[in-house]
Each structure stands twice: as structure tokens, then as C-alpha cells.
Amino acid sequence: MADYQLIVVGAGPAGLAAAVSAWDAGLRRILVLERDSEPGGILNQCIHNGFGLHHFGEELTGPEYAGRFADQLAHTGAELLTDAMVLSVTADKHVQFVHRRRGFCDVTADAIVLAMGCRERTRGAIGTPGTRPAGVLTAGAAQRYVNVEGQMPGRRVVILGSGDIGLIMARRMTLEGAKVLACVEVMPYSGGLMRNIVQCLQDYDIPLLLSHTVTEIHGENRVTGVTVSQVDENRRPIPGTEQEFDCDTLLLSVGLVPENELTRAAGIPLDDRTKGAVVYENRETECPGIFACGNVLQVHDLVDYVTAESELAGRSAAAYVLQGGTSETPFLTVHNGDGVSYTVPQRIRTGTPGPVEVFFRVRRPLGRSVIEVTSQGQPIARFSRDHLAPGEMEQIRIPEVLLHKADGELTVSVKGA
């Protein structure tokens, strides 16, 4: 018999929701492993409100949202180990970790849920020229300094990238007395939610420079300024468009990457687009009994969606354990069609009771649009939208009766109405 029925790797919003859901579905020997000193993950440093509108029907701060699930977990019999760094996960469901009191541990499970979250891309990933002065930070690092450590990373700030963390930090730095000179975005559109563009930039008169990027960082010991240039349609800097900004801090909000080193080492196939695992409709990976959810699977824009997905993964893991595995059945392969950058899930088992929710992102902003689902070129379903944007994750619900019409594959496409 395995040491645990379920091991959950990560106690952020995804791991907490998955563990609670699995307990409610009937599992009792559950271990949750968290490398930080307390559960909650990134939400612990997100002190702004706006969380929980979908799941709880009210506005909460990040710590409040995480605290509710931590309380729910505490009322189960699941075991939570913080300060536990997972070293490896294997396909035969061995989990090796080190803990400050227990030392090195090697435990087994009937099922595993991967919920390690994501990390920020750094300056090295985008290759911005210049020296290596102090004052260049990711937006998330700056958020931790300000909200958790009580330290200001700088007073005159330029933000590269318009992801949600960068937009939120533009407002946060302003409220703490810093001057945010500009938010610079290489794409011709913002990568953040519209509500954050309005509430974090427009409400504070912070310029958003689209189709621009930082082309050089100045300073030896400390950032003294940056050069910002306009870019062409291929994102190459246009000579003669340079602007100089006198600043002491550059914050990077240039994308998030799922933390899938453990997943890759376990031999679980990854999706080239999402950088997360390839999963079935129940969030099971191609390694039987190992599930993935939350930002380690796909980078979400709302934590409420993380919770819903993770509850599904927890229920699915419980069903896998209690029913003695998953039967091998044919499946539909979900493809990215015109205008769609990725889809999750990538596999839908035939005979799955519907409806099945498919999440995706579009490649560019669109006004009134039509989402088309086809199989072998034949239409299966159509959905209308008034607005689509790359920064906002979309979802469609495909009824069971329509899934039965599919022949081996589904393709999700988007076109303007």
C-alpha cells in the first residue's frame, strides 16, 4: 500500500483547492507539500482586492482568499508540511523532498496533483542590453519587497511589460510615493486585464507606450536611466525613435512561465504553447494518476479560475484512487485553429459526460467575434463574443451531445464577425 492516497505538490491557491476537493470526494490520507513557510503561495503578497468575485461572490484581498482555503484545509484531516522542498516526482508516483525537521523523505502515493504555480521571466530571458546595476527587478519581486518586507525598491520607476502584475505594481508604487514614468509594452496591445489598465494606469495618469521596448539600461552600480524605442511590426527597434527616461528602477513584467521542472523530469509530455503538461478533460496528464492544475498547467488571469480547475483536479484524483485507475478509452485531440494560441485540455476522452469546458487564449485583440469548433472540417458548435483579448483567458462549454458528433479531433478557431 502506498504511503498516501494523494500527494499535492504546492499549497498555493491551486494546491489548497485540490486537496480540499479531494478530501470532500472521499480521500483521507492526503499530504500537501509547500516549500514556503506558510500556505497561500503568491496570494500572500497580493494585498490588493479583486479576488473571489466569481468563487465567493465578494471582493477579497489575496491573503484573505488564501486564508479561506487554508482554513478549509485545516478543518480536514489532510497533512500539510511547509518548508518542504520537493526534489523529484516519478512516473511511478514516488515523491522525494527535504524538510527542515524530517530531513530527506521518499514517499509514495496512489495519485499526485502537481500545483507548483509559475515564475516570472527575467531580464536574461529577454536579453535587454546594458550593464548589471542594482534596481532591475521583476514586478513580483518588487511586490514582495513593498507588501511583505516593507521596503521600497526605488523612487523613479519604468515598467517594461503590461502584464497584470506590472500594472498592479504601477499603482502600488505610485500609492507608496514613487513616480512611475511609463509602462512600456512591446506589443501593440496590453497583456493585462482591461480593469487593471483602467484602475492602475489611467486612473493615475501613467502613460502606456504600446509598440515600444527598453533597448538599453544605463548605470554601473545603480540604474540611472533607460532608453526606450518604438518597434516595428516584427518587434525590432526603429532607429531614431529613442526616448531617454531618468529613473532608478526598472520593473519587468514580461510574462510568466509554469514551474514544470518536476513535471519534465518525471517524463510527462508538455505543451509547446502553454509550457504546461498535456492533460485530459479531468486534468490528468499522460502519466496515469498524475494530475496538474492552476498556473503550473496554464497561466490564469483570475484566481477564481485556478480554484475551479484545481477542484476538478482534486475530484478527478479522488475518483482515480477510489475507482482503481482510469480506463483506457479513445480520445479527441483538441487543436489550436486560426486566431487561437493554445487550448486546455488538449485531450477529451470519448464518452466523457458533458459539458466539457475548453479554455483558450486568442492571438490578438478582436471586437465582435465568432468562436468556431469543428471536427474534420465539419462545424460542431459556434459561440459569439463581443470582445476578445490575449490578456483574458476565454472558455467555452461544449455539450455532450455535440462531443458525440466529433470524429477523432476538435479544432477551436476564432474569426471576426
Side-chain angles (χ1 to χ4, degrees), residues 395-406:
Q395 66 183 95
I396 53 177
R397 294 166 63 90
I398 305 178
E400 182 178 357
V401 64
L402 298 183
L403 290 173
H404 290 165
K405 295 182 178 180

Side-chain angles (χ1 to χ4, degrees), residues 75-86:
H75 283 87
T76 71
E79 181 181 359
L80 170 64
L81 280 183
T82 57
D83 295 302
M85 171 65 88
V86 176

